[in-house]
Amino acid sequence: MLRFDTDSTVKNFIVLEGIDGSGTTTQLRRLSSLLERRGLPVMATAEPTSRPEGALVRRILKGELDADPGTVAYLFAADRNQHLYGAGGILAAAAAGKIVLCDRYSLSSLAYQGMTCGPELPRRLNGEFPAPGLTLFFRLAPEVAMARVAARDQLEIYEKLHIQKLVSAAYDEVVAEAAGRGWNIVTIDAEKPLEEVSARVDAALEEYLQRISMASP
Ligand code: TMP
């Protein structure tokens, strides 16, 4: 059972979550440069990572390698474990005082792998990972998200409307559950125009940085 462990919350660890096409990557880039311009120490990162474990996952996502859904859940969790605890990873950067911004984290595994291999395995594999201090959840209709993604050259295995509908419903469940267990999650209406989404994201970030006293260097 997932503990949603808030005892080990990493306060300067901020995660962006949402279905494909929800804009997490765009917002991560924007936030990263915003914080850098303010002179704050930042590490911008993403899962799956560009490390060897993540590269293997990327090949599966592109359809170049076939893997059992359970294997995929293990690989995402292995990539996350290394990303957290490995040299130069999330915990090392957070301990060094950086604000770590991460495009996707364990709620992605609960939503996506929960759909492909059932809820138990991803919960077991991700249950002990520490909670981020802030999660920004970008919520929008799967139809709108898939229309945005359709312009891309190469679509990954999950980037299909019927799959995104299931992922979207799974996200709503796991976000509610995590919030109920003490995770600090701010839901952003990602259907709004980009400027409005960005303003909402900035406000949520600012409020959180004030709260953890990291608003200025
Ligand atoms: P992205 O680079 O567009 O965020 O793509 C990563 C894809 O991998 C996206 O479809 C979500 C999926 N994913 C999982 O299925 N499980 C996970 O744990 C993570 C981090 C991503």
Side-chain angles (χ1 to χ4, degrees), residues 17-21 24-25 46-49 57-58 61 72-73 75-77 79-80 103-116 126 149 152 156-159 164 167 171:
E17 289 279 5
I19 61 173
D20 290 275
T24 57
T25 309
E47 295 186 358
T49 68
V57 174
R58 287 270 171 214
L61 292 173
V72 177
L75 289 172
F76 272 115
D79 184 39
R80 182 161 302 125
D103 191 354
R104 300 189 175 283
Y105 185 60
S106 52
L107 296 186
S108 282
S109 280
L110 298 190
Y112 285 81
Q113 280 63 59
M115 171 200 64
T116 54
N126 290 278
V149 163
R152 293 183 191 162
E156 293 181 341
I157 55 171
Y158 300 133
E159 291 173 333
Q164 294 297 317
V167 177
Y171 257 124

Side-chain angles (χ1 to χ4, degrees), residues 84-146:
L84 275 166
Y85 303 110
I90 293 168
L91 294 190
K98 290 189 180 169
I99 298 171
V100 181
L101 299 172
C102 189
D103 191 354
R104 300 189 175 283
Y105 185 60
S106 52
L107 296 186
S108 282
S109 280
L110 298 190
Y112 285 81
Q113 280 63 59
M115 171 200 64
T116 54
C117 66
E120 286 314 313
L121 183 62
R123 277 163 181 268
R124 186 147 51 81
L125 296 176
N126 290 278
E128 303 296 316
F129 292 139
L134 172 65
T135 298
L136 299 169
F137 171 50
F138 294 84
R139 191 171 186 279
L140 78 175
E143 290 80 0
V144 177
M146 279 301 94

Side-chain angles (χ1 to χ4, degrees), residues 152-182:
R152 293 183 191 162
D153 289 346
Q154 196 193 9
L155 294 186
E156 293 181 341
I157 55 171
Y158 300 133
E159 291 173 333
K160 300 185 177 87
L161 182 57
H162 70 283
I163 293 181
Q164 294 297 317
K165 283 184 177 172
L166 295 171
V167 177
S168 175
Y171 257 124
D172 284 347
E173 277 180 28
V174 299
V175 163
E177 188 180 350
R181 304 273 181 96

